[in-house]
Coordinates of all heavy atoms in Angstrom, one line a residue:
M111 N -10.9 -27.2 99.7 CA -11.5 -26.5 98.5 C -10.3 -26.0 97.7 O -9.5 -25.1 98.1 CB -12.4 -25.3 99.0 CG -13.7 -25.8 99.8 SD -14.7 -26.8 98.7 CE -15.9 -27.3 100.0
S112 N -10.2 -26.1 96.5 CA -9.3 -25.6 95.5 C -9.8 -25.0 94.4 O -10.9 -25.5 93.8 CB -8.2 -26.8 95.1 OG -9.0 -27.7 94.3
H113 N -9.4 -23.8 93.9 CA -9.9 -23.2 92.7 C -9.3 -23.8 91.5 O -8.3 -24.4 91.6 CB -9.6 -21.7 92.7 CG -10.2 -21.0 93.8 ND1 -11.6 -20.7 94.0 CD2 -9.8 -20.6 95.0 CE1 -11.8 -19.9 95.1 NE2 -10.8 -19.9 95.8
D114 N -9.8 -23.7 90.4 CA -9.2 -24.2 89.2 C -9.1 -23.0 88.1 O -10.0 -23.0 87.1 CB -10.1 -25.3 88.7 CG -9.4 -26.1 87.4 OD1 -8.1 -25.8 87.3 OD2 -10.1 -26.7 86.8
P115 N -8.2 -22.1 88.3 CA -8.1 -21.0 87.3 C -7.5 -21.5 86.0 O -7.7 -20.8 84.9 CB -7.2 -20.0 88.1 CG -6.3 -20.9 89.0 CD -7.2 -21.9 89.4
T116 N -7.0 -22.6 85.9 CA -6.3 -23.0 84.8 C -7.4 -23.5 83.7 O -7.2 -23.1 82.5 CB -5.4 -24.4 85.0 OG1 -4.7 -24.1 86.2 CG2 -4.6 -24.7 83.8
G117 N -8.5 -24.0 84.1 CA -9.5 -24.3 83.1 C -10.2 -23.1 82.6 O -10.3 -23.0 81.3
K118 N -10.3 -22.1 83.3 CA -10.9 -20.8 82.8 C -9.9 -20.2 81.8 O -10.3 -19.7 80.8 CB -11.2 -19.7 84.0 CG -12.5 -20.2 84.7 CD -12.8 -19.2 85.7 CE -14.0 -19.4 86.5 NZ -14.3 -18.4 87.5
R119 N -8.7 -20.2 82.1 CA -7.7 -19.6 81.2 C -7.6 -20.3 79.9 O -7.5 -19.8 78.9 CB -6.3 -19.7 81.9 CG -5.2 -18.6 81.4 CD -4.0 -18.6 82.2 NE -4.4 -18.0 83.6 CZ -3.7 -18.3 84.7 NH1 -2.7 -19.2 84.6 NH2 -3.9 -17.8 85.9
A120 N -7.8 -21.6 80.0 CA -7.7 -22.4 78.8 C -9.0 -22.1 77.8 O -8.9 -21.9 76.6 CB -7.8 -23.9 79.0
L121 N -10.1 -21.8 78.5 CA -11.3 -21.5 77.8 C -11.1 -20.1 77.0 O -11.5 -20.0 75.9 CB -12.5 -21.4 78.8 CG -13.8 -21.2 78.2 CD1 -14.2 -22.5 77.5 CD2 -14.8 -21.0 79.3
F122 N -10.5 -19.2 77.8 CA -10.3 -17.8 77.2 C -9.4 -17.8 76.0 O -9.5 -17.3 74.9 CB -9.9 -16.8 78.1 CG -10.9 -16.2 79.0 CD1 -11.0 -16.4 80.4 CD2 -11.8 -15.4 78.5 CE1 -12.0 -15.9 81.2 CE2 -12.8 -14.8 79.1 CZ -12.9 -15.0 80.6
T123 N -8.5 -18.7 76.0 CA -7.4 -18.9 74.9 C -8.1 -19.5 73.7 O -7.9 -19.1 72.6 CB -6.2 -19.8 75.5 OG1 -5.6 -19.3 76.7 CG2 -5.3 -19.8 74.3
S124 N -9.0 -20.5 74.0 CA -9.7 -21.0 72.9 C -10.6 -20.0 72.2 O -10.6 -19.9 70.9 CB -10.5 -22.3 73.4 OG -11.3 -22.7 72.4
Q125 N -11.3 -19.1 73.0 CA -12.2 -18.3 72.2 C -11.4 -17.1 71.5 O -11.8 -16.7 70.4 CB -13.0 -17.4 73.4 CG -14.2 -18.3 73.9 CD -14.9 -17.6 75.0 OE1 -14.5 -16.7 75.6 NE2 -16.0 -18.2 75.3
T126 N -10.3 -16.8 72.0 CA -9.4 -15.8 71.3 C -9.0 -16.3 69.9 O -9.1 -15.6 68.9 CB -8.2 -15.4 72.1 OG1 -8.6 -15.1 73.4 CG2 -7.4 -14.3 71.4
G127 N -8.7 -17.7 69.9 CA -8.2 -18.2 68.5 C -9.5 -18.3 67.6 O -9.2 -17.9 66.5
Q128 N -10.6 -18.5 68.1 CA -11.8 -18.5 67.1 C -12.0 -17.1 66.6 O -12.4 -17.0 65.5 CB -13.1 -19.0 67.9 CG -13.0 -20.5 68.2 CD -14.2 -21.0 69.0 OE1 -15.1 -20.4 69.3 NE2 -14.2 -22.3 69.2
D129 N -11.9 -16.0 67.5 CA -12.2 -14.7 67.1 C -11.2 -14.3 65.8 O -11.6 -13.8 64.9 CB -12.0 -13.7 68.2 CG -13.2 -13.8 69.1 OD1 -14.1 -14.4 68.7 OD2 -13.0 -13.3 70.2
Q130 N -10.0 -14.8 66.1 CA -8.9 -14.5 65.0 C -9.3 -15.2 63.7 O -9.2 -14.5 62.7 CB -7.5 -15.0 65.4 CG -7.0 -14.0 66.5 CD -5.6 -14.5 67.0 OE1 -5.2 -15.6 66.8 NE2 -4.9 -13.7 67.8
A131 N -9.8 -16.3 63.7 CA -10.2 -17.1 62.6 C -11.3 -16.4 61.8 O -11.4 -16.2 60.7 CB -10.6 -18.6 62.9
A132 N -12.3 -15.9 62.7 CA -13.5 -15.2 62.0 C -13.0 -14.0 61.4 O -13.5 -13.6 60.3 CB -14.5 -14.9 63.2
D133 N -12.1 -13.2 62.1 CA -11.7 -12.0 61.4 C -10.9 -12.3 60.0 O -11.1 -11.6 59.1 CB -10.6 -11.3 62.2 CG -11.2 -10.7 63.5 OD1 -12.5 -10.5 63.3 OD2 -10.6 -10.2 64.4
G134 N -10.2 -13.4 59.9 CA -9.5 -13.7 58.6 C -10.6 -13.9 57.6 O -10.5 -13.5 56.5
K135 N -11.7 -14.7 58.0 CA -12.8 -14.9 57.0 C -13.4 -13.7 56.5 O -13.7 -13.4 55.3 CB -13.8 -15.9 57.5 CG -13.3 -17.4 57.6 CD -14.4 -18.3 58.1 CE -14.0 -19.7 58.1 NZ -15.1 -20.6 58.6
A136 N -13.8 -12.7 57.4 CA -14.4 -11.5 57.1 C -13.6 -10.7 56.1 O -14.1 -10.1 55.2 CB -14.7 -10.7 58.4
A137 N -12.3 -10.7 56.4 CA -11.5 -9.9 55.4 C -11.4 -10.5 54.1 O -11.5 -9.8 53.0 CB -9.9 -9.9 56.0
L138 N -11.5 -11.8 54.0 CA -11.4 -12.6 52.7 C -12.8 -12.2 51.9 O -12.7 -11.9 50.8 CB -11.3 -14.1 52.9 CG -11.1 -14.8 51.7 CD1 -9.7 -14.6 51.2 CD2 -11.2 -16.3 52.0
F139 N -13.9 -12.1 52.7 CA -15.2 -11.9 51.9 C -15.2 -10.5 51.4 O -15.7 -10.2 50.4 CB -16.3 -12.1 52.9 CG -16.8 -13.6 53.0 CD1 -16.6 -14.4 54.0 CD2 -17.2 -14.2 51.8 CE1 -17.0 -15.7 54.0 CE2 -17.6 -15.6 51.9 CZ -17.5 -16.3 53.0
S140 N -14.8 -9.6 52.3 CA -14.9 -8.1 51.9 C -13.9 -7.8 50.8 O -14.2 -7.0 49.9 CB -14.4 -7.2 53.1 OG -13.1 -7.3 53.4
H141 N -12.8 -8.5 50.6 CA -11.9 -8.4 49.4 C -12.5 -9.0 48.2 O -12.4 -8.4 47.2 CB -10.6 -9.1 49.8 CG -9.6 -9.1 48.7 ND1 -9.0 -7.8 48.5 CD2 -9.1 -9.7 47.8 CE1 -8.0 -7.9 47.4 NE2 -8.2 -9.1 47.0
A142 N -13.4 -10.0 48.3 CA -13.9 -10.6 47.1 C -15.2 -9.8 46.7 O -15.5 -10.1 45.6 CB -14.3 -12.0 47.6
D143 N -15.7 -9.0 47.5 CA -16.8 -8.2 47.1 C -16.5 -7.0 46.2 O -15.7 -6.2 46.6 CB -17.6 -7.7 48.4 CG -18.9 -7.0 48.1 OD1 -19.4 -7.3 47.1 OD2 -19.2 -6.1 49.0
Q144 N -17.1 -7.1 45.0 CA -16.7 -6.1 44.0 C -18.0 -5.4 43.5 O -19.0 -5.9 43.5 CB -16.0 -6.7 42.9 CG -14.6 -7.2 43.1 CD -13.9 -7.8 42.0 OE1 -14.5 -8.1 41.0 NE2 -12.6 -8.0 42.1
P145 N -17.9 -4.1 43.2 CA -19.1 -3.3 42.6 C -19.4 -3.9 41.3 O -18.5 -4.4 40.6 CB -18.6 -1.9 42.6 CG -17.0 -2.1 42.4 CD -16.6 -3.2 43.3
P146 N -20.7 -3.8 40.8 CA -21.1 -4.4 39.6 C -20.6 -3.7 38.4 O -20.3 -4.2 37.2 CB -22.6 -4.2 39.5 CG -22.9 -3.1 40.6 CD -21.8 -3.3 41.5
G147 N -20.1 -2.4 38.5 CA -19.6 -1.7 37.4 C -18.8 -0.5 37.8 O -19.3 0.2 38.8
P148 N -17.8 0.0 37.1 CA -17.1 1.1 37.6 C -17.7 2.4 37.1 O -17.2 3.5 37.5 CB -15.7 0.9 36.9 CG -15.9 0.2 35.7 CD -17.1 -0.7 36.0
V149 N -18.6 2.4 36.2 CA -19.2 3.6 35.5 C -20.7 3.8 35.9 O -21.4 2.8 35.8 CB -19.0 3.8 34.1 CG1 -19.5 5.0 33.5 CG2 -17.5 3.7 33.8
L150 N -21.1 4.9 36.5 CA -22.6 5.0 36.8 C -23.1 5.9 35.7 O -22.7 6.8 35.3 CB -22.7 5.7 38.2 CG -22.1 5.0 39.4 CD1 -22.3 5.9 40.5 CD2 -22.8 3.6 39.5
I151 N -24.3 5.5 35.3 CA -25.1 6.2 34.2 C -26.3 6.7 35.0 O -27.3 5.9 35.3 CB -25.5 5.5 33.0 CG1 -24.1 5.1 32.3 CG2 -26.4 6.3 32.1 CD1 -24.4 4.3 30.9
D152 N -26.5 8.0 35.1 CA -27.7 8.6 35.7 C -28.6 9.1 34.5 O -28.2 10.0 33.7 CB -27.5 9.8 36.6 CG -26.8 9.3 38.1 OD1 -27.2 8.3 38.5 OD2 -26.1 10.1 38.5
C153 N -29.8 8.5 34.4 CA -30.7 8.9 33.3 C -31.7 9.9 33.8 O -32.4 9.8 34.8 CB -31.5 7.7 32.9 SG -32.7 8.0 31.6
Q154 N -31.7 11.1 32.9 CA -32.6 12.1 33.4 C -34.0 11.8 33.0 O -34.9 12.2 33.5 CB -32.2 13.5 32.6 CG -32.9 14.6 33.1 CD -32.5 15.9 32.3 OE1 -32.3 15.8 31.1 NE2 -32.5 17.0 33.0
R155 N -34.2 10.9 32.0 CA -35.5 10.5 31.5 C -36.3 9.7 32.5 O -37.4 9.9 33.0 CB -35.5 9.9 30.2 CG -36.8 9.4 29.5 CD -36.6 8.6 28.4 NE -36.1 9.4 27.2 CZ -36.9 10.0 26.3 NH1 -38.2 9.9 26.4 NH2 -36.4 10.6 25.3
C156 N -35.6 8.6 32.9 CA -36.3 7.6 33.9 C -35.8 7.7 35.3 O -36.3 7.0 36.1 CB -36.1 6.2 33.3 SG -34.4 5.5 33.4
G157 N -34.8 8.4 35.4 CA -34.3 8.6 36.9 C -33.5 7.4 37.4 O -33.1 7.5 38.5
A158 N -33.1 6.4 36.6 CA -32.4 5.2 37.1 C -30.9 5.5 37.1 O -30.4 6.2 36.2 CB -32.8 4.1 36.1
T159 N -30.2 4.9 38.0 CA -28.8 4.9 38.0 C -28.3 3.4 37.8 O -28.7 2.5 38.5 CB -28.3 5.3 39.4 OG1 -28.7 6.6 39.6 CG2 -26.7 5.3 39.4
T160 N -27.7 3.3 36.6 CA -27.2 1.9 36.1 C -25.7 1.9 36.2 O -25.0 2.7 35.8 CB -27.7 1.6 34.7 OG1 -29.0 2.0 34.7 CG2 -27.4 0.2 34.3
H161 N -25.1 0.7 36.8 CA -23.8 0.3 36.8 C -23.4 -0.3 35.6 O -24.0 -1.3 35.2 CB -23.5 -0.5 38.0 CG -23.6 0.2 39.3 ND1 -22.5 0.5 40.0 CD2 -24.6 0.4 40.1 CE1 -22.9 1.1 41.2 NE2 -24.3 1.1 41.2
V162 N -22.5 0.2 34.8 CA -22.0 -0.6 33.6 C -20.4 -0.6 33.7 O -19.8 0.1 34.4 CB -22.3 0.3 32.3 CG1 -24.0 0.3 32.2 CG2 -21.9 1.6 32.2
G163 N -19.9 -1.5 32.8 CA -18.6 -1.8 32.7 C -17.8 -0.4 32.0 O -18.7 0.2 31.4
A164 N -16.6 -0.3 32.1 CA -16.0 0.9 31.4 C -16.1 0.7 29.9 O -16.3 1.7 29.2 CB -14.5 0.9 31.9
G165 N -15.9 -0.6 29.5 CA -15.9 -0.8 28.0 C -17.4 -0.5 27.5 O -17.6 0.1 26.4
D166 N -18.4 -0.9 28.2 CA -19.7 -0.8 27.8 C -20.1 0.8 27.8 O -20.7 1.4 26.8 CB -20.8 -1.4 28.8 CG -22.2 -1.3 28.3 OD1 -22.4 -1.1 27.2 OD2 -23.1 -1.7 29.1
A167 N -19.7 1.5 28.8 CA -20.0 2.9 28.8 C -19.1 3.6 27.7 O -19.6 4.6 27.0 CB -19.3 3.6 30.2
L168 N -18.0 3.1 27.3 CA -17.1 3.8 26.2 C -18.0 3.6 24.9 O -18.0 4.5 24.1 CB -15.8 3.2 26.2 CG -14.7 4.0 25.4 CD1 -14.5 5.4 25.9 CD2 -13.5 3.2 25.3
R169 N -18.4 2.3 24.7 CA -19.2 2.1 23.4 C -20.4 3.0 23.3 O -20.8 3.4 22.2 CB -19.5 0.5 23.5 CG -18.5 -0.4 22.9 CD -19.2 -1.7 22.5 NE -19.7 -2.4 23.7 CZ -19.1 -3.1 24.6 NH1 -17.8 -3.3 24.5 NH2 -19.7 -3.6 25.5
R170 N -21.2 3.1 24.4 CA -22.3 4.0 24.4 C -22.0 5.5 24.0 O -22.6 6.2 23.2 CB -23.0 4.0 25.7 CG -23.6 2.7 26.0 CD -24.3 2.7 27.4 NE -24.7 1.3 27.7 CZ -25.9 0.7 27.3 NH1 -26.7 1.3 26.5 NH2 -26.0 -0.5 27.8
V171 N -20.9 5.9 24.6 CA -20.5 7.1 24.3 C -19.9 7.5 22.9 O -20.3 8.5 22.2 CB -19.3 7.7 25.2 CG1 -18.7 9.0 24.9 CG2 -19.9 7.7 26.8
L172 N -19.2 6.4 22.4 CA -18.7 6.5 21.0 C -19.7 6.4 20.0 O -19.7 6.9 18.9 CB -17.6 5.6 20.9 CG -16.2 5.9 21.7 CD1 -15.2 4.7 21.5 CD2 -15.8 7.1 21.3
G173 N -20.8 5.5 20.4 CA -21.8 5.3 19.4 C -22.8 6.3 19.1 O -23.1 6.7 18.0
L174 N -23.2 7.0 20.2 CA -24.1 8.2 20.1 C -23.4 9.3 20.8 O -23.8 9.5 21.9 CB -25.4 7.8 20.7 CG -26.4 6.8 19.9 CD1 -27.5 6.5 20.7 CD2 -26.8 7.5 18.5
S175 N -22.6 10.0 20.2 CA -21.8 11.0 20.8 C -22.4 12.4 20.6 O -22.1 13.0 19.6 CB -20.4 11.0 20.4 OG -20.2 11.3 19.1
L176 N -23.1 12.8 21.5 CA -23.7 14.2 21.5 C -23.3 14.7 23.0 O -23.9 14.2 23.9 CB -25.2 14.5 21.2 CG -25.7 15.8 21.4 CD1 -24.9 16.6 20.4 CD2 -27.1 15.8 21.1
W177 N -22.4 15.7 23.0 CA -21.9 16.1 24.2 C -22.0 17.6 24.5 O -21.5 18.3 23.5 CB -20.3 15.6 24.5 CG -19.8 16.0 25.8 CD1 -20.4 16.1 27.0 CD2 -18.4 16.5 26.1 NE1 -19.6 16.4 28.0 CE2 -18.3 16.6 27.5 CE3 -17.4 16.6 25.1 CZ2 -17.1 17.0 27.9 CZ3 -16.1 16.8 25.8 CH2 -16.1 17.1 27.1
V178 N -22.6 18.0 25.4 CA -22.8 19.4 25.7 C -22.2 19.8 27.1 O -22.7 19.5 28.1 CB -24.2 19.9 25.7 CG1 -24.4 21.3 26.0 CG2 -25.0 19.5 24.4
P179 N -21.0 20.3 27.0 CA -20.3 20.6 28.2 C -21.1 21.7 29.0 O -21.8 22.5 28.5 CB -18.9 21.1 27.8 CG -18.8 20.6 26.4 CD -20.1 20.6 25.8
G180 N -21.0 21.6 30.4 CA -21.4 22.6 31.2 C -22.9 22.2 31.7 O -23.4 22.9 32.7
K181 N -23.5 21.1 31.2 CA -24.8 20.8 31.7 C -24.6 19.7 32.7 O -23.7 18.9 32.6 CB -25.7 20.3 30.5 CG -26.2 21.4 29.6 CD -27.1 20.8 28.5 CE -28.3 20.1 29.0 NZ -29.1 19.7 28.0
P182 N -25.6 19.6 33.7 CA -25.4 18.5 34.6 C -25.6 17.1 34.0 O -24.8 16.1 34.3 CB -26.5 18.8 35.7 CG -27.4 19.7 34.9 CD -26.6 20.4 34.0
Y183 N -26.6 17.0 33.0 CA -26.7 15.8 32.3 C -26.2 16.0 30.8 O -27.0 16.5 29.9 CB -28.2 15.3 32.2 CG -28.7 14.8 33.5 CD1 -29.0 15.8 34.5 CD2 -28.7 13.5 33.8 CE1 -29.5 15.4 35.7 CE2 -29.1 13.2 35.1 CZ -29.5 14.0 36.0 OH -29.9 13.6 37.2
S184 N -24.9 16.0 30.6 CA -24.3 16.5 29.3 C -24.2 15.5 28.2 O -23.8 15.9 27.1 CB -22.8 17.1 29.7 OG -22.1 15.9 30.3
R185 N -24.5 14.3 28.4 CA -24.3 13.2 27.5 C -25.8 12.7 27.0 O -26.6 12.4 27.8 CB -23.6 12.0 28.0 CG -22.1 12.3 28.3 CD -21.3 12.2 27.0 NE -19.9 12.5 27.5 CZ -18.9 12.5 26.6 NH1 -19.2 12.3 25.2 NH2 -17.7 12.6 27.0
R186 N -26.0 12.6 25.7 CA -27.1 12.1 25.1 C -26.8 10.8 24.5 O -26.2 10.7 23.5 CB -27.8 13.1 24.2 CG -29.2 12.6 23.6 CD -29.8 13.7 22.9 NE -31.2 13.3 22.5 CZ -32.3 13.2 23.1 NH1 -32.3 13.6 24.4 NH2 -33.4 12.7 22.6
L187 N -27.2 9.7 25.1 CA -27.1 8.4 24.6 C -28.2 7.4 25.1 O -29.1 7.7 25.8 CB -25.6 7.8 25.1 CG -25.3 7.9 26.5 CD1 -25.9 6.8 27.3 CD2 -23.7 8.1 26.6
R188 N -28.1 6.2 24.7 CA -29.1 5.2 25.0 C -29.0 4.8 26.5 O -27.9 4.2 26.8 CB -29.0 4.0 24.1 CG -30.0 2.9 24.3 CD -29.9 1.8 23.3 NE -30.5 2.2 22.1 CZ -31.7 2.0 21.6 NH1 -32.6 1.5 22.5 NH2 -32.2 2.2 20.5
C189 N -30.0 4.9 27.1 CA -30.0 4.6 28.6 C -30.2 3.0 28.8 O -31.0 2.5 28.1 CB -31.1 5.3 29.4 SG -31.4 4.6 31.0
P190 N -29.3 2.3 29.5 CA -29.4 1.0 29.7 C -30.6 0.5 30.5 O -31.0 -0.6 30.5 CB -28.1 0.7 30.4 CG -27.6 1.9 31.1 CD -28.1 3.0 30.3
A191 N -31.3 1.5 31.2 CA -32.4 1.1 32.1 C -33.6 1.3 31.2 O -34.5 0.2 31.3 CB -32.4 1.9 33.2
C192 N -33.9 2.3 30.5 CA -35.3 2.5 29.8 C -34.9 2.2 28.3 O -36.0 2.3 27.5 CB -35.8 3.8 30.1 SG -34.7 5.2 29.5
H193 N -33.8 2.0 27.9 CA -33.5 1.7 26.5 C -33.9 2.6 25.5 O -34.4 2.5 24.4 CB -34.1 0.2 26.1 CG -33.6 -0.8 27.0 ND1 -32.3 -1.3 26.9 CD2 -34.2 -1.5 28.0 CE1 -32.2 -2.3 27.8 NE2 -33.3 -2.4 28.4
R194 N -33.8 4.0 25.8 CA -34.2 5.0 25.0 C -33.1 6.2 25.2 O -32.4 6.2 26.0 CB -35.5 5.8 25.3 CG -36.7 4.8 25.3 CD -37.8 5.0 26.2 NE -38.6 6.2 25.8 CZ -39.6 6.6 26.6 NH1 -40.1 5.9 27.6 NH2 -40.4 7.6 26.2
R195 N -33.1 6.9 24.1 CA -32.1 8.0 23.9 C -32.5 9.0 25.1 O -33.5 9.5 25.0 CB -31.9 8.6 22.6 CG -31.2 7.5 21.7 CD -31.1 8.2 20.2 NE -30.2 9.3 20.3 CZ -29.8 9.9 19.2 NH1 -30.2 9.5 18.0 NH2 -28.8 11.0 19.2
A196 N -31.5 9.3 25.9 CA -31.9 10.3 27.0 C -30.6 11.0 27.4 O -29.5 10.6 27.1 CB -32.4 9.6 28.2
W197 N -30.9 12.2 28.1 CA -29.8 12.9 28.6 C -29.3 12.2 30.0 O -30.2 11.9 30.8 CB -30.1 14.4 29.0 CG -30.4 15.2 27.7 CD1 -31.6 15.5 27.3 CD2 -29.3 15.7 26.9 NE1 -31.4 16.3 26.1 CE2 -29.9 16.5 25.8 CE3 -28.0 15.7 26.9 CZ2 -29.3 17.1 24.8 CZ3 -27.2 16.3 25.9 CH2 -28.0 17.2 24.9
V198 N -28.1 11.8 30.0 CA -27.5 11.1 31.1 C -26.3 11.8 31.7 O -25.7 12.7 31.0 CB -27.1 9.7 30.7 CG1 -28.4 9.0 30.1 CG2 -25.9 9.7 29.7
R199 N -25.9 11.4 32.8 CA -24.7 11.9 33.5 C -23.8 10.6 33.8 O -24.2 9.8 34.4 CB -25.1 12.7 34.8 CG -23.9 13.2 35.6 CD -24.4 13.9 36.7 NE -25.4 13.1 37.6 CZ -26.0 13.7 38.7 NH1 -26.0 15.0 38.8 NH2 -26.8 12.9 39.3
L200 N -22.6 10.8 33.3 CA -21.6 9.5 33.6 C -20.8 10.0 34.8 O -20.3 11.1 35.0 CB -20.8 9.5 32.4 CG -21.4 8.9 31.1 CD1 -20.5 8.8 30.0 CD2 -22.2 7.7 31.4
T201 N -20.7 9.0 35.7 CA -19.9 9.2 36.8 C -19.0 7.9 37.1 O -19.5 7.0 37.0 CB -20.8 9.3 38.1 OG1 -21.8 10.4 37.9 CG2 -20.1 9.8 39.3
L202 N -17.8 8.2 37.2 CA -16.9 7.0 37.6 C -17.1 6.7 39.0 O -16.9 7.5 40.0 CB -15.4 7.5 37.4 CG -15.0 7.6 35.9 CD1 -13.6 8.1 35.9 CD2 -15.2 6.4 35.1
G203 N -17.5 5.5 39.3 CA -17.8 4.9 40.6 C -16.5 4.5 41.3 O -15.4 4.4 40.8
Ligands
ZN435 ZN1 -33.4 5.7 31.3

């Protein structure tokens, strides 16, 4: 009767190699995953939170610029969700 530890050891080595390959793919996917927009617009009228690009947010702020500092929803501009002028809160995501 003879044991065969070599076969088991080879099996473990093979599994370790596969785990390392899976980790590499996971890191690649997480790196490619990007948020839809860097700026969040919270609308007080409809309650929606919309992701927009920095350029889009800047155009909205410059187009209809009514800004009241000190309020939680300090910007009045066109909401991208309900398409109406509303008090919104801009947050950098
Ligand atoms: Zn809205």
